[in-house]
Amino acid sequence: MADFDDFCYPYHVHDYMLQEQESHRHQQSPTLPRNFRRGSTSEKQLDAKTLRRLAQNREAARKSRLRKKAYVQQLESSRIKLTQLEQDLQRARSQGFFLGGCAGTVGNISSGAAIFDIEYSRWLEDDQRHMSELRTGLNAHLSDSDLRIIVDSYISHYDEIFRLKVAAAKADVFHLITGMWTTPAERCFLWMGGFRPSDLIKMLISQLDPLTEQQVMGIYSLQHSSQQAEEALTQGLEQLQQSLIDTIAGGPVIDGMQQMAVALGKLANLEGFVRQADNLRQQTLHQLSRILTVRQAARCFLMIGEYYGRLRALSSLWASRPRESMMSEDHSCQTTTELQMVQPSQNHFSNF
């Protein structure tokens, strides 16, 4: 019988024991993950990503601070502008009128209309400056090139009021079309929120002599085309008004809300009519500038400005006239004297 030490295990049992010993040795001395080594490539990549993320965070914070600063500056600018608007309104009230000349309407006016009236008041102040430049340029006999600069500046000045009216029509078209931003005398001649181009041309023709035959033909052609456009717009507005009447008056009472919704949709077309009328007015002024010489154009715009200035003066005289219950001979003489002071030495508008 062989000794116990000399006993030989089968090959597969021997291999199994060797594997068990190797496993036990690994359990007694656990190893770190293969990628957990100082200075490894993966650790360096992780640090680079972190650095990029930190840089992005710093850039986002910087942009956020800039946006906050811009927002604060915008708020401050809006506050200053609002304060200025309030001062303008207070100054207008203290002078006894509300910008456009319609006293007593402050409580019923919309914010958009109030802003337009303030901007229009500033436009009138600039208008006086432009008229002074035109008058000085004509009296000083400036060269055509220098006078052209003044005339072009005045045309741009009129373009500005048309831009203001586009915004005002969106905010409160009724304020524009009823002429509440103008004086009472101006409202007598109002057409769709402004002057009628053909009437303006008619008033200017006799004051612009001498005109060449080509200029006369151009002006009369402009007047004719303006009249055609005015008639088309007037007919369109009349059709809109009749359609509104039919919509509001027709149908059973039970459909009243539906009628109002349809009427509101039709009423929105008023803005389009005012914008088209203003576009016609603007194009008429530009066409007059092209037909006339630079000196004739300067005289033309100066006469237009003086005409509307006299209408505003007439409204002031009308507002301050003595009432029938207080009229006396002295008051009548005083009013006559004031009218004579407004009357120019040479009446440029006697044919109007």
Side-chain angles (χ1 to χ4, degrees):
M1 183 176 179
D3 294 336
F4 183 80
D5 294 335
D6 294 335
F7 180 79
C8 295
Y9 292 99
Y11 291 114
H12 64 277
V13 175
H14 180 74
D15 292 340
Y16 176 78
M17 293 177 65
L18 289 176
Q19 291 176 2
E20 286 293 323
Q21 292 175 2
E22 183 70 17
S23 174
H24 182 69
R25 196 163 49 245
H26 282 303
Q27 291 177 359
Q28 288 181 347
S29 58
T31 58
L32 296 174
R34 287 178 300 175
N35 60 350
F36 191 80
R37 297 174 58 189
R38 293 186 178 274
S40 65
T41 304
S42 61
E43 184 179 4
K44 292 180 180 179
Q45 291 177 353
L46 181 62
D47 289 343
K49 291 180 180 179
T50 303
L51 290 175
R52 284 198 301 271
R53 189 178 298 110
L54 291 174
Q56 292 173 355
N57 290 342
R58 286 194 297 270
E59 181 65 16
R62 185 184 70 84
K63 292 181 179 180
S64 178
R65 288 193 298 270
L66 289 176
R67 286 194 298 268
K68 182 179 179 181
K69 183 178 180 181
Y71 178 69
V72 172
Q73 291 176 346
Q74 183 180 4
L75 287 178
E76 181 64 17
S77 177
S78 299
R79 185 189 66 80
I80 294 174
K81 186 175 182 180
L82 180 60
T83 302
Q84 186 177 2
L85 290 175
E86 291 176 348
Q87 292 175 351
D88 290 341
L89 284 172
Q90 186 62 32
R91 184 170 62 252
R93 293 190 185 101
S94 65
Q95 293 174 353
F97 66 95
F98 187 75
L99 300 173
C102 42
T105 61
V106 180
N108 299 324
I109 196 170
S110 65
S111 59
I115 292 174
F116 171 74
D117 283 357
I118 293 171
E119 297 293 341
Y120 178 64
S121 179
R122 292 175 180 169
W123 185 87
L124 286 178
E125 294 177 359
D126 290 339
D127 190 64
Q128 295 299 316
R129 178 177 58 83
H130 282 286
M131 286 180 59
S132 178
E133 291 178 355
L134 282 175
R135 191 177 294 107
T136 302
L138 286 171
N139 293 335
H141 302 289
L142 295 179
S143 64
D144 287 354
S145 58
D146 292 338
L147 194 58
R148 171 59 65 184
I149 296 175
I150 299 177
V151 170
D152 289 344
S153 177
Y154 199 63
I155 294 175
S156 299
H157 169 64
Y158 264 96
D159 289 339
E160 176 64 21
I161 190 60
F162 291 120
R163 284 192 293 269
L164 293 174
K165 291 179 71 178
V166 168
K170 293 181 179 179
D172 190 348
V173 67
F174 288 108
H175 186 71
L176 280 185
I177 205 167
T178 57
M180 298 307 296
W181 50 283
T182 61
T183 57
E186 290 177 282
R187 287 200 293 271
C188 288
F189 305 97
L190 210 63
W191 174 76
M192 292 193 184
F195 63 85
R196 189 183 287 270
S198 60
D199 287 346
L200 187 70
I201 296 173
K202 188 186 302 182
M203 181 265 291
L204 292 170
I205 286 178
S206 61
Q207 311 298 328
L208 293 174
D209 289 336
L211 294 171
T212 65
E213 183 178 353
Q214 184 177 2
Q215 286 178 324
V216 172
M217 292 178 60
I219 291 177
Y220 276 110
S221 176
L222 178 61
Q223 184 183 16
H224 179 67
S225 61
S226 298
Q227 285 178 335
Q228 289 182 326
E230 291 166 10
E231 291 174 0
L233 285 174
T234 301
Q235 290 177 3
L237 184 58
E238 290 175 353
Q239 292 175 359
L240 174 62
Q241 292 171 341
Q242 185 61 47
S243 178
L244 281 171
I245 293 173
D246 296 339
T247 301
I248 297 174
V253 179
I254 194 173
D255 296 331
M257 294 304 296
Q258 184 178 358
Q259 289 173 280
M260 291 299 103
V262 174
L264 283 175
K266 293 181 178 181
L267 205 57
N269 294 321
L270 275 178
E271 180 186 341
F273 281 101
V274 173
R275 293 185 63 174
Q276 290 182 67
D278 276 342
N279 183 63
L280 178 61
R281 285 184 271 266
Q282 186 176 16
Q283 293 302 318
T284 299
L285 294 177
H286 280 268
Q287 288 294 335
L288 281 173
S289 176
R290 297 186 186 99
I291 294 172
L292 301 173
T293 66
V294 62
R295 296 192 177 277
Q296 289 172 335
R299 288 170 50 205
C300 170
F301 289 119
L302 187 59
M303 285 188 289
I304 293 173
E306 289 177 347
Y307 169 68
Y308 283 102
R310 290 167 189 172
L311 279 181
R312 289 189 288 270
L314 182 61
S315 292
S316 298
L317 290 173
W318 176 258
S320 61
R321 76 193 187 283
R323 299 300 185 265
E324 292 182 1
S325 59
M326 301 176 60
M327 285 190 65
S328 65
E329 184 176 356
D330 293 336
H331 288 153
S332 299
C333 293
Q334 181 181 359
T335 304
T336 303
T337 304
E338 290 175 347
L339 287 172
Q340 290 174 349
M341 293 175 62
V342 177
Q343 195 81 8
S345 57
Q346 291 181 353
N347 186 3
H348 296 288
F349 308 101
S350 58
N351 293 330
F352 180 70

